[in-house]
Amino acid sequence: MEAKEVVAAYFEALSKGEMEKAFSNFTPETKWYQPGKNKFSGLKNNLGEIFQMLEGIMTDTSGNMIVKPTGAMLQSGDLVSVPVWFTAKKETKVMDLGGMDLFQVKEGKIVHVWTFSDDQSVDDAFFGN
């Protein structure tokens, strides 16, 4: 499977709420870098830490965080970039923000994820410390 197809399968399963299927595209050692200065920021060193971060985000937003691709996926070798849109609500705060996700795929599995926000200060203010 091409790198772009692996990432597309991840987003397809994510859009259907099929978390187990979505993360079957990752290795147990996948690394995920979450930028910023909020309680979810930093390097996640394995799938367990990634799940812990995502569970925290879903708890923090009462399960309403949505991330979806907004344009063409671009591939260069084993790297795939995807423009994305994030929406979430909590209490009186709303996040409605674009960004970019960058995936590295090796041997048919996602091994590294970097996320970028159009405005990291909005992301940080929304999630806090």
Side-chain angles (χ1 to χ4, degrees):
M1 202 179 330
E2 286 286 322
K4 196 162 35 171
E5 294 171 314
V6 173
V7 174
Y10 161 73
F11 276 109
E12 176 68 22
L14 205 58
S15 74
K16 296 177 180 177
E18 298 171 346
M19 300 304 279
E20 189 173 318
K21 187 174 182 181
F23 287 96
S24 70
N25 295 290
F26 287 58
T27 72
E29 299 82 23
T30 294
K31 298 194 182 326
W32 181 303
Y33 181 74
Q34 191 70 21
K37 296 178 182 168
N38 64 68
K39 62 186 165 189
F40 301 113
S41 298
L43 178 63
K44 309 311 178 236
N45 289 297
N46 56 55
L47 205 47
E49 290 181 12
I50 294 168
F51 279 137
Q52 185 177 11
M53 174 191 66
L54 295 175
E55 184 178 81
I57 290 171
M58 293 311 280
T59 298
D60 202 54
T61 62
S62 300
N64 68 47
M65 173 90 167
I66 297 172
V67 180
K68 59 183 176 182
T70 59
M73 294 183 190
L74 304 177
Q75 182 175 339
S76 177
D78 64 358
L79 298 175
V80 178
S81 65
V82 184
V84 293
W85 199 263
F86 304 89
T87 56
K89 297 176 189 172
K90 68 176 191 172
E91 300 155 10
T92 60
K93 296 179 182 179
V94 175
M95 183 171 61
D96 195 27
L97 191 61
M100 183 71 67
D101 288 353
L102 179 64
F103 298 84
Q104 183 178 32
V105 179
K106 292 194 183 241
E107 298 177 7
K109 296 286 185 181
I110 296 167
V111 297
H112 210 126
V113 181
W114 295 268
T115 63
F116 303 85
S117 175
D118 283 351
D119 188 342
Q120 190 60 52
S121 65
V122 171
D123 212 342
D124 290 340
F126 181 80
F127 286 117
N129 293 318

